[in-house]
């Protein structure tokens, strides 16, 4: 089995290379991709989040990016993660949690935004492979008025 | 000298069925909007549940005016200028917080104000002779504000339309939103989503009652969601996930959007969804209905819930969706820069499931990460950039225009009519040219 740390690097690389179908397969069926809006925000849909996506919504997002009438992507965006080495903060036989500070740049023609944050990967072992049960992203400037964030952190 | 300083030149920018591109792209027009329109109109500041206790404050920027919404010792919520009477320093910088000791103290030279804006003390007051004490040492004053069922508005101009006169019957949309709480009370549920729009504020406001864009602009997001759900062959009777329920009506056909209807009021206000809306077919929540029936009686409760207005525009700053308890507030920063804040509300006394619906909608549609929002903003930006073209000076708002509007534009129309935008520009001219006595 790939080490959990390598898995986290691999996951970011799939996004940066827009290999979204492969990326989608990294998630368990009950997975959650979550970017809370506030600090110390409890999990759950009664709180407004920036992302709170199950696999259905992730699929919609991926399919939309390929849609010929995704007008905001007529000029495509590209992104680049720069990860600090992931640290294993919880580990067990079948699951572990990693904490990964990161920088994320998203570029679209003449515009580029740079975001910073910390990602938490909650991984579960599944048929000899790591799968993501939850990816939680704590954005540094989540109180800011943010521009469009069009790809995936 | 502002090239539009003469009110006659401002009037020239608006014709019955079109507007000059300068209203969106010229910084000189924007400057006048902040000086006149944004002061003459009633502007939304915040909700009183954001300041539940004496001394709680919330700060906001209304045009050029930094303001503080604060709850006083008498429990009244006031709006004060966020500007020290001494050197102009903002008294508070946090978005929200609590005034220490129930007083506002300037962080620079320690001038202290009471929560009603009057001056309490100044260090070494003897440095001012008697005449100067009378002239220079004064409070920050209280701005003209109105708290309507929790929604707090300010009118920066000292004189002008009264609150009821300005909003009239459009306030029924706020009524419906509040009445949807079994206790008749709303509470802000979360920090706002804040979405930076690099476009003119009016593009956002106009879009809220624009029923001709969803099926075009949102095909890639809502259309994809609908297609994925339909092709997943859900078992007969399987409940639609909430996100599918919320996405799919965006790609309803033109007939649907035409027939939902739009009601236009004087002073730029309007709402779409007179007959039904994209929110009408959300599955009902049994426990919520039970609590509503118990609170209001079945007949009245059903009438409240049957009213599912789409977007109400409280021109120029506030847009609300009473049917799902979200509001969006336009905070213009520059001619091509506007922050759109989305706030979610809890229906006090309703089950948490209702809040989940609200928060989900806000995230799906209004967040900087929203697939729907991305395409809306893309269109506004494309318009902002396209309007730099000198190939034509005019932007058409002609759809279903009728010369009979000259008398009054108030009325109910098919929702694909561009009457709401024409109504907004009618108000725009009025609020831009109404007074030269706007400075308090």
């Amino acid at each position: 089995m790939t080490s959990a740390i390598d898995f986290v690097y691999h996951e970011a690389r799939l996004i940066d290379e827009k290999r979204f179908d492969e990326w989608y397969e990294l998630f368990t069926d009950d997975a959650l991709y979550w970017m809370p809006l506030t600090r110390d925000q409890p999990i759950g849909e009664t709180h407004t989040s920036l992302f709170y996506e199950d696999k259905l919504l992730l699929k919609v997002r991926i399919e939309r990016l390929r849609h010929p009438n995704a007008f905001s992507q007529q000029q495509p965006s590209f992104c680049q993660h720069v990860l600090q080495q992931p640290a294993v903060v919880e580990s067990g036989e079948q699951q572990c949690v990693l904490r990964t500070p990161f920088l994320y740049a998203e570029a679209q023609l003449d515009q580029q935004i740079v975001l910073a944050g910390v990602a938490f990967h909650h991984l579960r072992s599944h048929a000899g492979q790591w799968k993501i049960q939850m990816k939680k992203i704590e954005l540094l400037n989540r109180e800011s008025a943010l521009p469009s964030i069009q790809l995936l952190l | 000298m502002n090239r539009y300083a003469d009110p006659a030149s401002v009037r020239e920018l608006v014709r019955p069925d079109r507007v000059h591109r300068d209203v969106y792209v010229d910084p000189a027009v924007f400057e006048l909007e902040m000086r006149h329109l944004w002061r003459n109109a009633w502007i939304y500041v915040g909700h009183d549940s954001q300041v539940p206790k004496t001394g709680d404050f919330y700060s906001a920027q209304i045009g050029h005016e930094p303001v503080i919404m604060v709850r006083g010792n008498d429990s009244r919520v006031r709006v004060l200028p966020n500007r020290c009477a001494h050197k102009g320093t903002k008294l508070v910088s946090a978005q929200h917080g609590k005034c220490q000791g129930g007083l506002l103290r300037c962080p620079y030279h320690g001038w202290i104000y009471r929560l009603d804006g009057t001056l309490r003390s100044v260090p070494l007051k003897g440095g001012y002779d008697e005449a100067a004490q009378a002239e220079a040492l004064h409070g920050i004053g209280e701005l003209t504000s109105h708290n309507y069922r929790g929604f707090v508005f300010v009118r920066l101009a000292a004189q002008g339309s009264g609150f009821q006169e300005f909003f009239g019957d459009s306030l029924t949309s706020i009524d419906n939103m509040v009445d949807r709480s079994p206790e008749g009370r709303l509470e802000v549920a979360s920090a706002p989503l804040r979405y930076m729009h690099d476009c003119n504020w009016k593009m956002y406001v106009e879009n809220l009652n624009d029923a001709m864009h969803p099926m075009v602009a949102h095909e890639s997001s809502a259309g994809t969601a609908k297609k994925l759900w339909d092709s997943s062959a859900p078992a007969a009777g399987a409940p639609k996930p909430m996100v599918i329920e919320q996405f799919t009506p965006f790609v309803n056909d033109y007939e649907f959007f035409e027939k939902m209807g739009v009601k236009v009021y004087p002073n730029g206000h309007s709402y779409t969804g007179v007959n039904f809306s994209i929110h009408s077919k959300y599955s009902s929540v049994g426990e919520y209905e039970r609590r509503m029936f118990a609170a209001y009686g079945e007949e009245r409760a059903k009438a409240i819930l049957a009213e599912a207005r789409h977007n109400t525009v409280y021109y120029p700053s506030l847009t609300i969706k009473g049917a799902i308890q979200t509001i969006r507030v336009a905070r213009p920063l520059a001619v091509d820069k506007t922050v759109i804040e989305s706030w979610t509300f809890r229906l006090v006394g309703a089950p948490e499931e209702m809040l989940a619906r609200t928060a989900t909608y806000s995230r799906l549609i209004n967040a900087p990460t929203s697939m729907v929002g991305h395409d809306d903003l893309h269109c506004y930006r494309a318009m902002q950039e396209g309007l730099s073209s000198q190939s034509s000076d005019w932007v058409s708002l002609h759809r279903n225009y009728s010369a009979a509007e000259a008398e009054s534009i108030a009325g109910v129309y098919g929702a694909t009519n561009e009457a709401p935008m024409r109504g907004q520009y009618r108000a725009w001219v009025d609020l831009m040219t109404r007074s030269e006595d706007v400075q308090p």
Side-chain angles (χ1 to χ4, degrees):
Chain A
M1 189 156 70
T2 322
S3 84
I5 290 173
D6 288 343
F7 178 92
V8 170
Y9 285 122
H10 177 64
E11 189 255 344
R13 180 175 172 173
L14 291 182
I15 297 175
D16 293 348
E17 295 180 356
K18 293 191 167 183
R19 291 154 67 186
F20 294 123
D21 293 326
E22 288 170 72
W23 178 76
Y24 180 78
E25 295 304 325
L26 299 182
F27 290 82
T28 62
D29 288 344
D30 61 350
L32 175 65
Y33 176 84
W34 179 31
M35 189 152 86
L37 174 62
T38 59
R39 290 168 203 276
D40 305 317
Q41 179 176 322
I43 197 165
E45 284 197 298
T46 53
H47 303 272
T48 310
S49 294
L50 289 156
F51 287 105
Y52 198 90
E53 314 222 333
D54 60 7
K55 283 194 93 172
L56 172 63
L57 272 178
L58 289 177
K59 190 84 178 167
V60 173
R61 203 170 271 280
I62 291 168
E63 292 297 325
R64 180 207 166 247
L65 287 170
R66 288 197 269 254
H67 196 288
N69 289 337
F71 300 111
S72 78
Q73 283 298 302
Q74 197 182 55
Q75 175 67 45
S77 297
F78 297 95
C79 68
Q80 174 72 64
H81 287 78
V82 180
L83 306 186
Q84 184 175 311
Q85 175 163 288
V88 178
V89 291
E90 275 175 48
S91 72
E93 191 87 333
Q94 297 296 317
Q95 46 202 19
C96 64
V97 180
L98 295 99
R99 178 186 184 277
T100 312
F102 67 87
L103 292 175
Y104 169 87
E106 191 177 290
Q108 189 175 32
L109 198 63
D110 296 327
Q111 300 213 329
Q112 179 171 294
I113 57 169
V114 177
L115 300 170
V118 179
F120 292 87
H121 289 77
H122 293 241
L123 304 183
R124 197 161 68 195
S125 159
H126 182 86
Q129 301 244 296
W130 289 115
K131 290 256 183 184
I132 303 169
Q133 190 173 11
M134 177 168 77
K135 182 175 180 182
K136 179 185 178 191
I137 301 141
E138 295 184 346
L139 198 63
L140 175 65
N141 64 335
R142 63 198 98 153
E143 291 91 0
S144 299
L146 294 164
S148 289
I149 301 171
Q150 298 204 55
L151 299 176
L152 293 148
L153 282 86
Chain B
M1 178 75 179
N2 189 305
R3 56 192 285 227
Y4 284 110
D6 178 1
S9 65
V10 171
R11 288 188 195 97
E12 282 296 303
L13 294 171
V14 177
R15 301 209 177 143
D17 69 341
R18 69 196 68 183
V19 294
H20 192 281
R21 66 189 179 96
D22 280 4
V23 306
Y24 302 104
V25 299
D26 192 325
V29 173
F30 179 80
E31 183 54 31
L32 290 171
E33 286 179 337
M34 296 304 104
R35 254 191 263 166
H36 298 290
L37 186 145
W38 230 256
R39 299 181 62 84
N40 286 328
W42 284 91
I43 306 294
Y44 179 69
V45 180
H47 192 266
D48 70 5
S49 64
Q50 292 169 254
V51 290
K53 299 204 179 98
T54 293
D56 289 348
F57 72 83
Y58 165 71
S59 67
Q61 180 79 21
I62 309 295
H64 286 335
E65 193 80 29
V67 301
I68 312 167
M69 178 174 84
V70 63
R71 193 177 288 269
N73 291 311
D74 55 359
S75 278
R76 235 192 84 204
V77 175
R78 290 179 177 79
V79 181
L80 311 175
N82 190 2
R83 179 205 188 280
C84 184
H86 176 212
K87 295 193 83 172
T89 312
K90 277 167 71 167
L91 297 171
V92 299
S93 298
Q95 285 180 305
H96 57 85
K98 192 160 185 68
C99 299
Q100 282 183 38
L103 296 164
L104 284 157
R105 181 169 185 260
C106 179
Y108 199 4
H109 301 100
W111 288 34
I112 294 175
Y113 304 90
R114 298 180 192 90
L115 300 179
D116 62 1
T118 54
L119 184 66
R120 180 177 179 264
S121 61
V122 170
L124 303 180
K125 194 174 168 185
Y128 295 84
D129 62 33
E130 211 166 297
Q133 285 191 18
E135 195 271 326
L137 305 189
H138 55 80
I140 48 178
E142 181 189 340
L143 297 163
T144 306
S145 66
H146 189 92
N147 182 345
Y148 185 79
R149 303 194 73 178
F151 292 79
V152 178
F153 293 78
V154 69
R155 192 196 64 216
L156 296 171
Q159 277 102 39
S161 306
F163 180 84
Q164 291 285 346
E165 179 197 345
F166 188 67
F167 287 121
D169 281 345
S170 70
L171 292 169
T172 50
S173 289
I174 290 180
D175 290 338
N176 181 254
M177 181 162 161
V178 180
D179 290 345
R180 282 170 173 265
S181 151
E183 297 180 19
R185 211 150 49 83
L186 298 174
E187 276 175 6
V188 162
S190 159
L193 288 160
R194 303 178 70 236
Y195 193 172
M196 183 63 81
H197 279 45
D198 35 4
C199 69
N200 188 267
W201 64 271
K202 296 188 290 300
M203 294 175 184
Y204 163 77
V205 174
E206 287 170 40
N207 190 59
L208 272 274
N209 278 176
D210 180 324
M212 288 295 289
H213 85 282
M215 65 298 284
V216 181
H218 304 310
E219 180 201 348
S220 70
S221 51
T224 297
K226 182 170 160 43
K227 212 163 92 187
L228 277 174
W229 175 249
D230 289 349
S231 68
S232 71
K240 252 190 206 176
M242 193 193 291
V243 297
I244 298 295
E245 257 189 11
Q246 295 187 345
F247 263 141
T248 50
F250 278 81
V251 282
N252 285 352
D253 59 14
Y254 287 110
E255 193 189 357
F256 173 91
F257 281 101
E258 168 68 7
K259 287 188 171 163
M260 76 172 169
V262 60
K263 182 155 185 166
V264 178
Y265 296 99
N267 299 324
H269 319 305
S270 57
Y271 74 89
T272 34
V274 177
N275 305 308
F276 52 81
S277 78
I278 60 169
H279 308 303
S280 295
K281 290 203 170 162
Y282 294 167
S283 44
S284 58
V285 176
E287 175 57 22
Y288 171 59
E289 288 194 349
R290 270 191 292 282
R291 293 189 199 178
M292 284 294 285
F293 289 4
Y296 292 97
E298 187 169 336
E299 194 184 343
R300 170 88 180 110
K302 279 185 170 164
I304 291 168
L305 298 177
E307 192 78 55
R309 300 181 184 184
H310 173 218
N311 288 309
T312 301
V313 174
Y314 289 104
Y315 193 73
S317 67
L318 173 67
T319 67
I320 78 163
K321 277 185 178 295
I324 48 154
Q325 302 91 51
T326 67
I327 68 168
R328 281 176 279 179
V329 185
R331 302 284 191 215
L333 303 178
V335 69
D336 56 357
K337 210 170 178 190
T338 310
V339 175
I340 304 299
E341 290 182 350
S342 299
W343 296 83
T344 53
F345 288 82
R346 172 185 287 107
L347 295 169
V348 178
E352 288 287 282
E353 207 174 333
M354 298 304 290
L355 182 56
R357 173 185 288 184
T358 301
T360 298
Y361 187 92
S362 213
R363 180 185 86 241
L364 282 185
I365 311 301
N366 303 339
T369 42
S370 159
M371 296 174 258
V372 171
H374 293 160
D375 283 322
D376 277 327
L377 179 51
H378 171 79
C379 293
Y380 311 152
R381 283 172 60 172
M383 186 176 166
Q384 194 77 37
E385 291 173 18
L387 287 177
S388 70
S389 164
Q390 297 186 26
S391 64
S392 169
D393 276 340
W394 296 95
V395 173
S396 170
L397 301 171
H398 187 89
R399 175 174 289 281
N400 304 113
Y401 168 71
S402 152
E405 290 171 9
E407 190 73 17
S408 164
I409 199 162
V412 175
Y413 306 91
T416 63
N417 193 318
E418 286 171 341
M421 294 118 180
R422 294 192 292 275
Q424 287 167 20
Y425 281 99
R426 198 177 274 242
W428 188 86
V429 169
D430 174 29
L431 294 162
M432 286 287 276
T433 60
R434 189 179 276 199
S435 58
E436 304 312 310
D437 61 342
V438 291
Q439 300 298 332

